[in-house]
């Protein structure tokens, strides 16, 4: 057997891709289990027979980004005998804070260009269930902005950049690892999208762009806090814009890919 193959006949590169993509799916599956448990507990305690969209959104954030993603990530590191130093995180320096701002600005520019292209091609992007819930209940948006920094940014970047991109980086060049990690990041958002298949694919393609930017920021700074903070800022910005659009220009909310 070649030293470049595993006992399953797969190269280390192929095995790392399968492993990390399976890890992303596993994290989502564990999140569904947590969400089911939280929902069942909520219904039992409140005596209610249904869960509001706002409560469901809050439960989803807690179950996925708050619990499942960190748990699966840390368990994976433990099983590999790796410590938290594998993640490379520290208090950002001024230069790294600058990279955080550049990442945010770059993502906004990329998304604007993508929106222009989508409109020029006559395509339609899918709406996001979180955005729909926030539009109908703008009073929860301040909490979603807070969740962007405390749950969404840290939870997703821990899994997709810290663990998945970090693992892929052991076998691939930086550009390839960034691309592959983004390939795991974007498609899993499809469960939160509302629309037909074509609209969902368009939105996933757009979501691929922030994933690339977060991955580049992590590679550039070697500090997980940078993409996590940039991710939080980006989502918080979208929620803030959604609030302004909901209150002052409801007809424009479909343009925001929150």
């Amino acid at each position: 057997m070649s030293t470049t193959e595993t006992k399953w006949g797969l190269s280390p590169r192929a095995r790392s891709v399968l492993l990390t993509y399976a890890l992303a799916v596993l994290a989502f599956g564990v999140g569904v289990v947590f969400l089911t448990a939280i929902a069942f507990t909520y219904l039992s305690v409140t005596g209610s027979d249904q869960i509001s969209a706002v409560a469901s959104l809050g439960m989803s954030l807690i179950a996925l980004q708050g619990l499942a993603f960190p748990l699966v990530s840390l368990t994976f590191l433990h099983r590999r005998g790796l410590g938290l130093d594998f993640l490379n995180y520290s208090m950002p320096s001024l230069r790294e804070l600058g990279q955080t701002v550049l990442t945010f600005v770059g993502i906004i520019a990329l998304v604007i260009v993508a929106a222009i292209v989508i409109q020029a091609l006559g395509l339609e992007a899918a709406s996001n269930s979180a955005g729909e819930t926030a539009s109908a209940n703008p009073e929860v948006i301040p909490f979603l902005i807070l969740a962007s920094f405390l749950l969404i940014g840290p939870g997703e970047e821990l899994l997709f950049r810290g663990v998945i991109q970090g693992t892929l980086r052991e076998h691939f060049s930086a550009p390839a690892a960034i691309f592959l990690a983004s390939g795991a990041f974007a498609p899993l958002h499809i469960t939160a999208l509302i629309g037909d298949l074509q609209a969902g694919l368009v939105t996933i393609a757009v979501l691929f762009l922030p994933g690339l930017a977060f991955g580049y920021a992590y590679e550039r700074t070697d500090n997980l806090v940078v993409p996590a903070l940039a991710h939080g800022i980006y989502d918080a910005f979208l929620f803030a814009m959604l609030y302004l659009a909901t209150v002052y220009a409801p007809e424009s909310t479909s343009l925001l890919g929150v």
Side-chain angles (χ1 to χ4, degrees):
M1 179 183 295
S2 169
T3 56
T4 61
E5 294 184 350
T6 68
K7 63 182 179 181
W8 298 289
L10 297 174
S11 69
R13 284 187 168 187
R15 186 171 181 271
S16 69
V17 173
L18 290 176
L19 178 63
T20 52
Y21 276 47
L23 191 67
V25 174
L26 174 63
F28 181 80
V30 171
V32 172
V33 173
F34 276 127
L35 179 58
T36 302
I38 293 172
F40 179 79
T41 302
Y42 173 85
L43 293 174
S44 299
V45 171
T46 62
S48 176
D49 59 352
Q50 60 182 359
I51 300 174
S52 69
V54 171
S56 178
L57 175 57
M59 292 176 189
S60 178
L61 291 174
I62 293 172
L64 287 167
Q65 289 90 342
L67 294 175
F69 289 3
L71 177 62
V72 170
S73 297
L74 297 178
T75 300
F76 176 77
L77 293 179
H78 176 72
R79 294 282 295 179
R80 289 194 60 197
L82 300 171
L84 293 178
D85 56 333
F86 177 82
L87 301 173
N88 298 319
Y89 65 95
S90 62
M91 184 68 67
S93 65
L94 288 178
R95 183 186 69 83
E96 290 170 340
L97 289 176
Q99 181 64 53
T100 301
V101 174
L102 286 175
T103 300
F104 166 69
V105 173
I107 292 172
I108 296 298
L110 288 172
V111 171
I112 290 174
V113 171
I116 293 173
V117 172
I118 289 171
Q119 290 188 339
L121 294 176
L123 300 175
E124 183 178 347
S127 58
N128 186 288
S129 59
E132 293 284 333
T133 300
S135 295
N137 305 273
E139 69 278 3
V140 307
I141 291 180
F143 296 99
L144 292 175
I145 291 175
L146 184 62
S148 297
F149 292 101
L150 298 182
L151 295 175
I152 302 174
E156 294 190 4
E157 293 310 303
L158 170 62
L159 175 63
F160 291 100
R161 249 56 65 179
V163 172
I164 290 180
Q165 183 172 316
T167 299
L168 291 168
R169 190 68 174 89
E170 295 175 330
H171 302 283
F172 292 91
S173 65
I178 292 170
F179 185 87
L180 289 168
S182 299
F185 171 75
L188 282 184
H189 287 77
I190 196 169
T191 57
L193 301 181
I194 301 173
D196 59 29
L197 178 60
Q198 183 185 63
L201 293 176
V202 169
T203 299
I204 288 174
V206 174
L207 288 172
F208 198 84
L209 300 176
L212 293 175
F214 297 141
Y216 175 77
Y218 187 37
E219 180 68 28
R220 176 79 173 175
T221 62
D222 200 27
N223 186 353
L224 186 61
V225 177
V226 172
L229 184 57
H231 194 152
I233 294 172
Y234 174 64
D235 280 11
F237 173 79
L238 290 183
F239 284 125
M241 292 300 99
L242 180 62
Y243 179 83
L244 295 177
T246 301
V247 173
Y248 299 107
E251 69 280 359
S252 68
T253 56
S254 62
L255 299 177
L256 295 171
V258 176

